[in-house]
Amino acid sequence: MDTPIDFKFLEESVAKKHNPKFGDREYLVIQTYPLGKTTRVVYRSYDYQEAERLSNLENLSHDYSSFATRIYHDDKLWIPGNISGIPYKISEQQVWKIHPDYKFRDVDGEIEICSCSYLYFAGGTEILTCLENDNGRSITLCPNCGISLKQDEDEEDDDDDDDYTPLACLGCSNYDGEFYGDNQLICAIHPYGCGSDFCPDFVP
Ligand SMILES: [Zn+2]
């Protein structure tokens, strides 16, 4: 395990995959459906064609989830231009950073996900922004996509409040799923998920 070759492998691929900081113009293959409270990045590359190829493969191999390529630029996710791969238009899906005030479970209310991926805080009577750079502002429309955000919880499906649990992790005793800061830990073996619907390390 401590041979120079293993160490090199660790640096180049593993370390890169687990480094939460994205580089400028780095392509990210993200899950666009279903949405979770953290953006699930399944693949990272500086090669647009490679990212597109892997995004298509993910879509072909998952029946109930969708994936798309985005490019990280100026601290935001962009939709890459079809052929060029350069940032073309701002993506509705972003890596939202929740304000530290909301990282504890004892706040009175819930972080909700808009259909566009935007995270907001639904308190008792108010809907508030809850992001690091835009916090505590009372809103009625989604600042990201403009749809009306509902305050009425009656129509809501209870399942909507659950954190995203990957299909492969349902019933696995290794599954964690808790949030540590902005990041949801899937499990100790696959911190970001195993990337498939069947995990080789599944423990009933
Ligand atoms: Zn929205």
Side-chain angles (χ1 to χ4, degrees):
M1 191 63 191
D2 287 320
T3 63
I5 289 165
D6 283 343
F7 192 69
K8 194 162 177 264
F9 170 78
L10 193 74
E11 271 192 331
E12 285 184 0
S13 64
V14 180
K16 189 182 166 208
K17 192 177 173 196
H18 294 263
N19 177 2
K21 287 247 180 270
F22 305 121
D24 198 59
R25 308 244 171 176
E26 183 169 8
Y27 294 98
L28 310 175
V29 175
I30 61 164
Q31 183 165 324
T32 52
Y33 181 87
L35 291 164
K37 285 173 190 171
T38 46
T39 303
R40 188 167 164 235
V41 178
V42 295
Y43 188 76
R44 300 171 59 168
S45 172
Y46 282 95
D47 182 334
Y48 175 54
Q49 299 305 333
E50 175 86 345
E52 275 289 89
R53 193 176 65 77
L54 284 148
S55 173
N56 291 336
L57 270 179
E58 288 292 330
N59 280 319
L60 287 173
S61 54
H62 294 82
D63 286 341
Y64 303 106
S65 35
S66 314
F67 300 83
T69 307
R70 294 291 180 262
I71 180 168
Y72 189 77
H73 174 56
D74 261 356
D75 251 1
K76 289 197 162 57
L77 298 186
W78 296 70
I79 296 170
N82 242 347
I83 296 162
S84 61
I86 61 170
Y88 164 65
K89 159 175 144 176
I90 199 93
S91 164
E92 272 200 341
Q93 298 86 16
Q94 292 293 332
V95 181
W96 306 109
K97 294 205 171 83
I98 295 175
H99 191 277
D101 285 1
Y102 300 92
K103 285 174 185 168
F104 306 100
R105 293 267 170 184
D106 58 349
V107 287
D108 190 18
E110 274 281 348
I111 304 276
E112 304 278 354
I113 308 167
C114 179
S115 54
C116 71
S117 86
Y118 184 83
L119 300 178
Y120 61 96
F121 179 76
T125 52
E126 268 196 304
I127 293 178
L128 301 170
T129 57
C130 61
L131 303 179
E132 247 174 24
N133 54 1
D134 182 3
N135 177 38
R137 199 159 56 86
S138 177
I139 49 170
T140 52
L141 303 178
C142 172
N144 191 43
C145 72
I147 68 161
S148 176
L149 300 172
K150 52 185 173 198
Q151 254 164 288
D152 186 4
E153 302 234 329
D154 292 351
E155 293 166 39
E156 252 193 71
D157 192 341
D158 283 340
D159 293 341
D160 284 0
D161 286 342
D162 291 347
D163 296 330
Y164 166 74
T165 304
L167 196 58
C169 304
L170 291 173
C172 178
S173 48
N174 283 329
Y175 180 65
D176 183 329
E178 278 301 310
F179 279 80
Y180 298 91
D182 291 333
N183 301 308
Q184 186 183 14
L185 175 70
I186 301 300
C187 77
I189 303 164
H190 307 280
Y192 294 87
C194 68
S196 125
D197 286 346
F198 299 96
C199 179
D201 303 300
F202 184 88
V203 180

